[in-house]
Amino acid sequence: MTAAQAVDFEALTTAATEAMHAAYAPYSDYPVGAAALTEDGRIITGCNVENASYGLGLCAECTLIGQLRLTGGGRLRAFTCVNSAGETITPCGRCRQLLAEFAAETLWIKTAAGVTTLQALLPEAFGPADLTAENR
């Protein structure tokens, strides 16, 4: 069994679907829920929160990372997100970068095309290592 097969993506999808029902999406009518498994076994969730000033809206991944920090921090081992129909959707580029900041060495992501790694979705990501003194 591979590391990705050891992840209960059905439980993550259920948690993401429950989170989606808490979304605030009156402008786009596109609620999104997200769920992730941390290295220490917690499942955390997030939902999108829109704003009348469209640019101020938060993706589900943003609120998920807030929840990660509020519940003890750590690193993300697995992730998925869903739309209002419960269909798996793939994180946008901005959210891939956000997930990279908090990813475990390997972050398994269930996408519409199947399970892959964040590294495959965001190769050569910019991250904390790029901000060391010798890289400035």
Side-chain angles (χ1 to χ4, degrees):
M1 178 182 294
T2 67
Q5 291 171 326
V7 173
D8 186 351
F9 277 105
E10 186 175 325
L12 284 182
T13 300
T14 297
T17 301
E18 290 173 6
M20 178 270 303
H21 290 294
Y24 178 73
Y27 307 107
S28 70
D29 196 31
Y30 193 77
V32 175
L37 176 66
T38 64
E39 286 184 314
D40 65 5
R42 290 175 290 136
I43 292 180
I44 56 170
T45 59
C47 63
N48 61 322
V49 179
E50 295 179 349
N51 189 282
S53 176
Y54 293 145
L56 295 180
L58 299 173
C59 294
E61 293 86 345
C62 294
T63 64
L64 180 139
I65 294 301
Q67 195 59 232
L68 174 69
R69 300 300 304 155
L70 286 168
T71 61
R75 296 282 170 202
L76 304 175
R77 241 183 82 211
F79 172 87
T80 194
C81 58
V82 299
N83 63 18
S84 64
E87 300 165 330
T88 301
I89 56 176
T90 304
C92 70
R94 174 181 179 257
C95 290
R96 293 175 196 190
Q97 181 66 43
L98 181 65
L99 292 170
E101 187 82 10
F102 298 94
E105 186 173 333
T106 301
L107 172 55
W108 296 101
I109 299 183
K110 182 180 177 189
T111 71
V115 177
T116 189
T117 63
L118 178 61
Q119 294 83 351
L121 290 176
L122 188 65
E124 300 184 38
F126 182 86
D130 296 301
L131 297 174
T132 62
E134 62 268 5
N135 289 330
R136 289 185 194 170

